[in-house]
Amino acid sequence: MSSSVRISIRHFLWFAYSLPCFALFSCVGLSLLKDFEKSTRTHCKVFNFLPSISASIGDCEPQRYIWRLCFALDSIPRYVVAYLQLIRLLNRHHILLQELYPLVQITNSCIHFLELTFLLILTYISSNEIKWIHESSFVGFMICSLLHMLITVLIDYFWPRTINYRLSDQERMVRAKRLRWFVINITSFFISIYFYFRHNEFCEPNIYSMYCLFEYFVVLTNIAYHSVIMDEWDHQGGQIQIFY
């Protein structure tokens, strides 16, 4: 016999998007408190006041285990949310180009699934263990993340709808939030890249910390972008039934 438990969608989404925030703040905070010198050390040995995420979760304990445990707990909910969102989007009836629309949405969801998979790989394989896999996974994560956000925003704003369909105030708010978080995310990413290469080129004090700061912004704005789904689903209510 199997049993089941019902969880409200809102609580399910809160869990999915608050857990990675907890992982980030706790790991960085612990690194600053107990592993400051180790986590902020760079190859050119200049002073820095913030650790990178990779240094916090790869070189220090218990940060490594906190990060991995949080993403182990978070991975299945994030895949479930991505799948449920795809089903919801495929059931839209006010969309034109119905032959092409499912293909675009499925492709975009596959990119999102790849984003989540790359995130898991770089979580469990640190730069100290197999550096090229960690770095390749980070590149794959960023490419898929930005591409998924871009495609979603383009669909929100430019995909044709039936003439008699008008966007609700909530739909306008949701797509505006997505656009805002996408712009902040991609801006933070390019600023972080600037500081990363400047640090490697000139080895100035605190420049690597600026890279780390904008790296945090990239992670947090990525979470904020995906958590917009809470506003999108809020009016629907409902529950998720989990069997065990």
Side-chain angles (χ1 to χ4, degrees), residues 173-226:
M173 177 194 69
V174 165
R175 73 177 191 176
K177 279 189 174 182
R178 280 207 182 99
L179 178 60
R180 180 173 67 247
W181 288 123
F182 169 63
V183 171
I184 297 174
N185 181 268
I186 195 170
T187 302
S188 299
F189 173 68
F190 282 115
I191 293 174
S192 72
I193 292 296
Y194 162 75
F195 282 119
Y196 179 81
F197 284 107
R198 178 170 168 176
H199 163 74
N200 285 333
E201 183 69 24
F202 301 108
C203 276
E204 302 164 279
N206 299 319
I207 293 299
Y208 192 72
S209 295
M210 295 304 298
Y211 157 74
C212 297
L213 179 63
F214 281 95
E215 182 187 33
Y216 306 159
F217 288 160
V218 170
V219 172
L220 291 172
T221 54
N222 175 276
I223 296 169
Y225 173 90
H226 289 297

Side-chain angles (χ1 to χ4, degrees), residues 50 86 108 174 215:
L50 287 176
L86 172 62
N108 195 29
V174 165
E215 182 187 33

Side-chain angles (χ1 to χ4, degrees), residues 55-115:
S56 295
I57 68 174
D59 297 339
C60 308
E61 298 173 354
Q63 295 92 302
R64 178 192 308 168
Y65 305 118
I66 292 173
W67 186 269
R68 292 181 178 182
L69 175 62
C70 286
F71 278 89
L73 295 172
D74 191 55
S75 59
I76 293 178
R78 292 289 294 273
Y79 280 110
V80 170
V81 170
Y83 172 74
L84 293 177
Q85 176 69 344
L86 172 62
I87 298 302
R88 194 188 73 83
L89 292 174
L90 291 179
N91 287 327
R92 283 178 167 177
H93 301 296
H94 57 272
I95 296 295
L96 295 178
L97 304 178
Q98 284 288 344
E99 299 81 8
L100 182 61
Y101 179 74
L103 177 61
V104 173
Q105 286 291 9
I106 291 171
T107 301
N108 195 29
S109 290
C110 287
I111 294 170
H112 185 35
F113 291 139
L114 280 174
E115 173 193 346

Side-chain angles (χ1 to χ4, degrees), residues 26-70:
S26 60
C27 290
V28 171
L30 283 171
S31 297
L32 289 172
L33 289 173
K34 61 180 285 292
D35 297 298
F36 180 82
E37 184 178 350
K38 181 180 180 181
S39 63
T40 58
R41 187 187 307 131
T42 62
H43 68 281
C44 54
K45 297 180 174 60
V46 295
F47 177 79
N48 284 286
F49 59 90
L50 287 176
S52 69
I53 296 175
S54 293
S56 295
I57 68 174
D59 297 339
C60 308
E61 298 173 354
Q63 295 92 302
R64 178 192 308 168
Y65 305 118
I66 292 173
W67 186 269
R68 292 181 178 182
L69 175 62
C70 286

Side-chain angles (χ1 to χ4, degrees), residues 1 61 63 88 117 136 141 157 166-167 177 179 184 202 228 232:
M1 291 181 64
E61 298 173 354
Q63 295 92 302
R88 194 188 73 83
T117 304
S136 299
F141 167 75
Y157 277 89
R166 297 185 64 180
L167 290 175
K177 279 189 174 182
L179 178 60
I184 297 174
F202 301 108
V228 172
E232 195 170 21

